[in-house]
Amino acid sequence: MEFYYEAKAKDGRKVSGVHRGDSESDIISWLKSTGSIPLKIAKSSERVSAAAQGDDLTELKVPGFFTLAPKVKLQDKLVFFRQLATMIESGISVTGSLIVLAEQTQNKTFRAILAQVYKKVSAGSTLGAAMAEYPKCFDSITIPLVRAGEESGTLDSSLGKIAKFLEDQNNLRKKILSAMTYPAVVISVALIVLGVMVVVVIPQFEKSFSNLNVEMPLLTRTAFAVGRWMSSWWYTIPLGIIITVVVLMRLRHMDSMKLPVDRMLLKVPIFGDIIFKAAMTRSFRTMSSLLRSGLPVLKALEMTSEISGNEKIRRDFLTIRDGASMGQSMNAIVREKKLFPPMVGHMMAVGEETGRSDEMLDKVADWYDSELSEKIKRLSSILEPVMVVFVGVVVAFMAMAIFMPILSAIQAFL
């Protein structure tokens, strides 16, 4: 029987964990033998119930942003799998590890899920089968890796690979966000300032200039016309942006429109290349991890296609899978159909010839990752002066529109 304990160690630190024993007295004796002072002891099952108390799992069924329950973040899962791998490697049982991790998880939704996973595992279910009950939390990549680890007796290694995979995904997401944050902030501030000037400041100047007996320059008339339109219809701009985003999202969920929309995204100047390199990094890193975990090539190709994040790249991986199922080599399919750049086909060929496809695909992912980092670095250095020029042009436009009529009036009096 497993017991959860809290104790005060020799150095004064408060420690907690799970230890197996026949009764609470066994746990107390064990703690005293280590020089620790017992503070609290409870059965693991009682402790996990307390951890889940107050968490309503029905909230997990509410889709999207309508749910009041916090979502399980990538960082939460990363920490969980890293700690679970370490604890199992240290000899702690799966159930004992789950109870400790459920106790210390701050995210209520994730804590409730872990509590349910613990109950299913305690009832005799495998960890992979228990996690498969929550596909929104544990995706189609995680479950096969966990099951492969359980079947091969290397669960700790498989969990470590999952943690590494999630860490790579997290780092990739941070790189993309860092590339988008600066221009987004600068453009937003510039648009807000421009909007305030057009809606509030420009109309005031228009009233003042109406008493001047001078002909307004075209630039000024244009600014005044934009100001009048913005004062009456300003809400159409954010509304149009929202509608555009919603329409694009809906199109991406329509089977008939996924491919053309994603192809269009890959052709967007500058950012299309970032999307492509990010998808390639994610895809080949995933496939390398799956092959290293012992999954068959066909299954690895199918699962990789699902996490690519782009319909064109997804179909390219499925094309490789279909060809491989007919006996063709992966590199021959890539080269014949020109699915990916020539370097990818060459690396695949080396991997298939040497029997080290997982290593070669990992190198492909590393190469795309380094290219992505360099691209983001260059983009950041280029965007900074571009944004400064953009803001300068906006300010110059407004200044000229306001001061040109004043100069015309002064010249008329001279």
Side-chain angles (χ1 to χ4, degrees):
M1 185 181 299
E2 291 180 338
F3 289 86
Y4 174 86
Y5 67 85
E6 292 180 6
K8 189 174 183 181
K10 288 181 179 180
D11 56 5
R13 292 184 299 108
K14 184 177 180 181
V15 295
S16 61
V18 174
H19 191 74
R20 185 177 292 275
D22 295 329
S23 62
E24 292 186 10
S25 59
D26 289 344
I27 308 301
I28 294 173
S29 299
W30 172 74
L31 287 172
K32 289 182 178 179
S33 67
T34 62
S36 301
I37 302 174
L39 299 177
K40 186 175 183 179
I41 297 174
K43 291 182 180 179
S44 293
S45 58
E46 295 174 356
R47 192 62 189 170
V48 77
S49 297
Q53 190 174 5
D55 292 319
D56 187 4
L57 291 180
T58 57
E59 290 182 344
L60 299 176
K61 299 177 183 178
V62 183
F65 54 82
F66 293 105
T67 179
L68 297 178
K71 293 182 178 180
V72 181
K73 298 180 181 178
L74 182 62
Q75 184 67 29
D76 294 332
K77 291 188 283 188
L78 165 60
V79 172
F80 165 73
F81 280 110
R82 181 73 70 193
Q83 293 179 338
L84 183 60
T86 302
M87 295 176 75
I88 291 177
E89 186 180 7
S90 301
I92 302 175
S93 66
V94 174
T95 52
S97 302
L98 287 172
I99 184 61
V100 173
L101 295 176
E103 166 66 19
Q104 69 181 31
T105 301
Q106 299 298 317
N107 186 299
K108 291 184 178 180
T109 301
F110 198 29
R111 188 190 315 160
I113 291 175
L114 293 182
Q116 294 303 310
V117 170
Y118 167 81
K119 291 178 181 178
K120 295 179 189 304
V121 173
S122 299
S125 174
T126 63
L127 180 61
M131 287 182 170
E133 297 288 331
Y134 304 95
K136 290 186 178 180
C137 180
F138 304 109
D139 56 33
S140 58
I141 301 297
T142 300
I143 304 305
L145 288 177
V146 171
R147 285 174 171 166
E150 289 178 312
E151 293 172 0
S152 62
T154 57
L155 181 58
D156 56 337
S157 177
S158 293
L159 293 172
K161 290 174 183 176
I162 295 173
K164 180 65 168 60
F165 168 74
L166 294 176
E167 185 178 10
D168 291 337
Q169 297 300 306
N170 197 36
N171 291 336
L172 182 61
R173 181 177 296 180
K174 287 179 180 178
K175 287 181 182 179
I176 297 174
L177 287 176
S178 67
M180 306 298 182
T181 300
Y182 180 77
V185 171
V186 174
I187 292 175
S188 299
V189 172
L191 291 177
I192 291 172
V193 172
L194 178 61
V196 171
M197 292 185 68
V198 169
V199 175
V200 179
V201 179
I202 292 297
Q204 299 301 320
F205 277 100
E206 184 178 13
K207 292 178 183 178
S208 302
F209 290 164
S210 61
N211 298 323
L212 298 176
N213 296 320
V214 294
E215 182 180 357
M216 297 295 168
L218 176 62
L219 186 62
T220 304
R221 295 199 304 272
T222 302
F224 288 166
V226 172
R228 289 192 297 272
W229 184 87
M230 287 283 289
S231 297
S232 302
W233 303 95
W234 63 269
Y235 56 86
T236 59
I237 295 179
L239 186 61
I241 294 174
I242 294 173
I243 291 174
T244 302
V245 171
V246 171
V247 168
L248 286 175
M249 291 177 64
R250 293 292 298 175
L251 288 176
R252 286 203 70 192
H253 285 84
M254 294 173 59
D255 293 338
S256 60
M257 294 302 297
K258 281 182 180 179
L259 185 59
V261 170
D262 281 355
R263 275 180 174 166
M264 179 190 69
L265 290 176
L266 292 178
K267 293 179 180 179
V268 173
I270 301 177
F271 294 103
D273 192 43
I274 290 178
I275 294 172
F276 176 75
K277 285 181 168 62
M280 295 294 278
T281 301
R282 179 169 53 248
S283 299
F284 284 111
R285 188 84 70 197
T286 300
M287 188 171 176
S288 174
S289 298
L290 294 174
L291 292 177
R292 192 175 290 117
S293 299
L295 265 71
V297 173
L298 297 181
K299 184 64 175 178
L301 285 167
E302 182 177 348
M303 293 172 62
T304 299
S305 70
E306 296 301 323
I307 61 92
S308 62
N310 184 278
E311 183 64 16
K312 180 187 180 303
I313 297 175
R314 187 185 79 86
R315 295 194 181 193
D316 289 343
F317 274 103
L318 291 179
T319 299
I320 299 174
R321 182 205 62 182
D322 294 340
S325 65
M326 299 176 66
Q328 291 182 273
S329 62
M330 291 190 295
N331 74 87
I333 303 168
V334 170
R335 291 174 176 177
E336 179 185 343
K337 298 186 178 295
K338 298 181 180 179
L339 301 178
F340 302 128
M343 184 273 295
V344 176
H346 177 71
M347 296 293 282
M348 281 184 168
V350 173
E352 288 175 317
E353 291 172 3
T354 59
R356 299 185 300 168
S357 292
D358 57 334
E359 294 182 24
M360 292 300 106
L361 293 176
D362 205 30
K363 291 183 183 297
V364 172
D366 288 339
W367 185 81
Y368 275 111
D369 192 30
S370 63
E371 285 288 302
L372 180 63
S373 299
E374 188 62 30
K375 181 85 174 182
I376 291 174
K377 189 183 299 182
R378 290 199 303 267
L379 180 64
S380 300
S381 61
I382 293 172
L383 281 176
E384 186 169 350
V386 169
M387 293 297 102
V388 170
V389 171
F390 171 75
V391 174
V393 169
V394 171
V395 173
F397 172 82
M398 302 303 297
M400 291 176 64
I402 292 173
F403 286 107
M404 285 178 67
I406 297 176
L407 293 176
S408 299
I410 293 175
Q411 290 175 356
F413 283 111
L414 294 178

